């Protein structure tokens, strides 16, 4: 599907994966495995981490025991390592854009299901540390409630059934290849948010590949657009509205946080039948938490490229390229001085 275009079909229901899609569990898993393997004189190889992403716990454990030739049974492994995970669940952070997505869909009454290759009790325990999450899902289903976990489509088919939704009207958001395969086999639209860096090329079967949930555009799928991501150019000056569509770079000032590099697109939004231009700023910084309600000031200082349509993977690569150009350009003396502009630091009265 071309970036910036409406999807060939619209959806009414959303099914989300949990680990690696909404929650940053990969780091917790890696740390626990590092500690555990030391007992056997083994060293965890992070390069092999992608092999267990998206697997059901039993399958993942079987693979680790086999790969590291551990002198223990699968049952002994699970019994020993489970306490290490349980103690860390309260520390698992939401991935960027996760809470924003859940709140947005809930506020617009879009039915959502949570379908994970984990036991249902574990799913509920993990999301209990994130306010409002549990109440936002009309269906929560774990791999212990189906005969086969992902990549089997059964868990997604069952989720749709419990929501009284046709699979063709469901949008799956997944980080793992088994999850993407399961969603497509279920006859659903699938957005991949790869949790392993530089693995986007493996997700060609997905309808769209995005870098993070912050890059999600619900309006592509007939769902309400985010209220905070695309700013109407009409709300700003007439001069800005008349700027050519394209990708620009500059500085962004947050009232309570500071000044950050940013890239920004100005373009015609298909959700409004391409009759309105919208502005989408992209702050080039990894924030630990959302900053809803904060005043945002933008200083556009340079131009990168014109607006263009790309296949989903090429769109992702293009955006990464935009980021690199913006970051390097903003270090140049001609542009770095704009960071000190009083405009970016003075809050509106």
């Amino acid at each position: 599907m071309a970036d910036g275009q409406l999807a060939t079909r619209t959806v009414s229901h959303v099914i989300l994966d949990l680990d690696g899609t909404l929650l940053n569990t990969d780091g917790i898993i890696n740390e626990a495995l590092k500690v555990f393997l030391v007992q056997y004189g083994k060293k965890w190889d992070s390069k092999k981490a992608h092999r267990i992403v998206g697997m059901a716990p039993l399958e993942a454990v079987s693979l680790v025991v086999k790969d590291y030739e551990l002198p223990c049974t699968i049952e002994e492994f699970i019994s020993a390592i489970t306490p290490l995970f349980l103690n860390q669940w309260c520390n698992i952070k939401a991935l960027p854009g996760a809470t924003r997505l859940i709140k947005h869909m809930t506020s617009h009454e879009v039915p959502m299901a949570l379908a994970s290759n984990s036991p249902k009790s574990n799913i509920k325990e993990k999301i209990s540390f994130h306010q409002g999450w549990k109440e936002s899902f009309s269906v929560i289903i774990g791999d212990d409630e189906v005969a086969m976990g992902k990549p089997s489509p059964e868990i997604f088919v069952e989720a749709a059934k419990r929501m009284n939704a046709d699979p063709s009207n469901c949008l799956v958001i997944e980080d793992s290849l088994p999850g993407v395969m399961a969603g497509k086999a279920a006859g659903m639209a699938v957005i991949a948010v790869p949790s392993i860096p530089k693995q986007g090329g493996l997700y060609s079967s997905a309808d769209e590949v995005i870098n993070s949930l912050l890059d999600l555009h619900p309006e592509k799928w007939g769902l309400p657009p985010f209220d905070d991501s695309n700013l109407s150019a009409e709300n700003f000056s007439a001069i800005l509205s008349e700027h050519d569509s394209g990708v620009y770079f500059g500085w962004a000032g947050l009232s309570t946080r500071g000044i950050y590099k940013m890239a920004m697109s100005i373009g015609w939004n298909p959700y409004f039948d391409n009759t309105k231009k919208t502005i989408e700023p992209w702050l080039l910084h990894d924030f630990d938490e959302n900053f809803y309600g904060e005043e945002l000031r933008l200083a556009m200082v340079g131009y990168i490229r014109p607006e263009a349509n790309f296949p989903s993977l090429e769109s992702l690569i293009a955006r990464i390229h935009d980021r690199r150009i913006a970051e390097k350009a903003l270090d140049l003396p001609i542009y770095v001085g704009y960071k000190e502009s009083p405009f970016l630091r003075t809050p509106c009265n």
Side-chain angles (χ1 to χ4, degrees):
M1 183 180 64
D3 186 49
Q5 300 297 314
L6 290 174
T8 54
R9 75 174 192 245
T10 59
V11 300
S12 56
H13 295 66
V14 175
I15 305 177
L16 294 161
D17 173 54
L18 181 63
D19 299 314
T21 300
L22 297 177
L23 292 179
N24 186 16
T25 49
D26 293 343
I28 298 295
I29 292 172
N30 286 338
E31 288 304 314
L33 286 170
K34 283 180 184 178
V35 173
F36 182 79
L37 291 175
V38 167
Q39 303 174 34
Y40 295 97
K42 307 284 186 176
K43 184 177 180 180
W44 171 245
D45 184 357
S46 59
K47 294 180 180 179
K48 294 182 179 180
H50 70 278
R51 299 187 63 191
I52 62 173
V53 171
M55 281 188 171
L58 189 59
E59 293 176 334
V61 167
S62 299
L63 186 60
V64 171
V65 170
K66 180 181 178 181
D67 278 357
Y68 290 88
E69 301 178 343
L70 300 180
C72 64
T73 65
I74 293 172
E75 291 73 19
E76 289 171 339
F77 183 103
I78 293 175
S79 177
I81 202 168
T82 296
L84 296 178
F85 290 141
L86 294 177
N87 293 335
Q88 292 297 319
W89 280 350
C90 61
N91 297 321
I92 300 176
K93 293 183 179 295
L95 285 163
T99 298
R100 171 188 182 233
L101 172 61
I102 292 171
K103 286 183 176 180
H104 175 72
M105 294 300 172
T106 301
S107 66
H108 288 278
E109 300 182 346
V110 176
M112 289 189 296
L114 194 56
S116 171
N117 260 1
S118 295
K120 186 172 183 177
S121 59
N122 289 2
I123 298 171
K124 288 186 173 182
E125 180 71 15
K126 291 175 187 176
I127 65 176
S128 69
F129 298 102
H130 300 270
Q131 187 175 3
W133 281 28
K134 183 179 179 181
E135 299 77 19
S136 297
F137 295 99
S138 58
V139 171
I140 297 176
I141 181 171
D143 73 336
D144 55 336
E145 298 181 83
V146 293
M148 296 180 65
K150 307 167 191 175
S152 165
E154 184 181 357
I155 195 167
F156 288 137
V157 172
E158 180 63 23
K161 181 179 177 181
R162 294 186 188 184
M163 289 194 293
N164 297 315
D166 188 285
S168 64
N169 291 328
C170 295
L171 173 65
V172 169
I173 303 178
E174 265 280 358
D175 74 297
S176 72
L177 192 55
V180 170
M181 294 168 63
K184 294 303 296 180
M188 301 177 179
V190 179
I191 294 177
V193 194
S195 57
I196 303 297
K198 300 180 181 179
Q199 296 293 319
L202 300 177
Y203 294 77
S204 58
S205 62
D207 296 280
E208 185 178 14
V209 181
I210 58 177
N211 193 39
S212 84
L213 293 176
L214 294 174
D215 296 326
L216 178 65
H217 289 269
E219 63 270 24
K220 288 184 177 181
W221 306 96
L223 298 170
F226 285 118
D227 304 319
D228 61 344
S229 62
N230 294 311
L231 310 174
S232 174
E234 295 175 2
N235 294 333
F236 300 91
S237 68
I239 295 176
L240 187 56
S241 295
E242 293 171 0
H243 266 68
D244 290 336
S245 296
V247 180
Y248 297 78
F249 62 89
W251 297 98
L254 283 170
S255 56
T256 64
R257 296 169 185 264
I259 312 297
Y260 302 93
K261 294 177 178 178
M262 70 92 181
M264 184 177 80
S265 65
I266 300 177
W268 299 103
N269 194 320
Y271 184 76
F272 300 109
D273 296 323
N274 292 321
T275 60
K276 291 185 179 180
K277 271 186 177 179
T278 56
I279 302 166
E280 183 182 359
W282 181 25
L283 274 62
L284 309 181
H285 180 80
D286 294 324
F287 294 92
D288 293 329
E289 57 186 359
N290 296 316
F291 44 86
Y292 301 120
E294 283 198 40
E295 180 182 298
L296 175 65
R297 292 189 160 213
L298 305 173
M300 188 171 67
V301 301
Y303 177 78
I304 298 177
R305 62 173 173 82
E307 184 179 29
N309 294 326
F310 300 93
S312 57
L313 178 57
E314 290 184 8
S315 175
L316 173 60
I317 295 172
R319 186 153 192 177
I320 294 172
H321 185 59
D322 293 340
R323 176 170 186 157
R324 290 172 180 165
I325 292 175
E327 288 182 331
K328 289 183 179 180
L330 289 166
D331 286 331
L332 297 174
I334 190 174
Y335 298 123
V336 74
Y338 288 102
K339 183 179 181 180
E340 306 304 321
S341 171
F343 165 78
L344 294 170
R345 303 176 182 276
T346 305
C348 292
N349 296 324

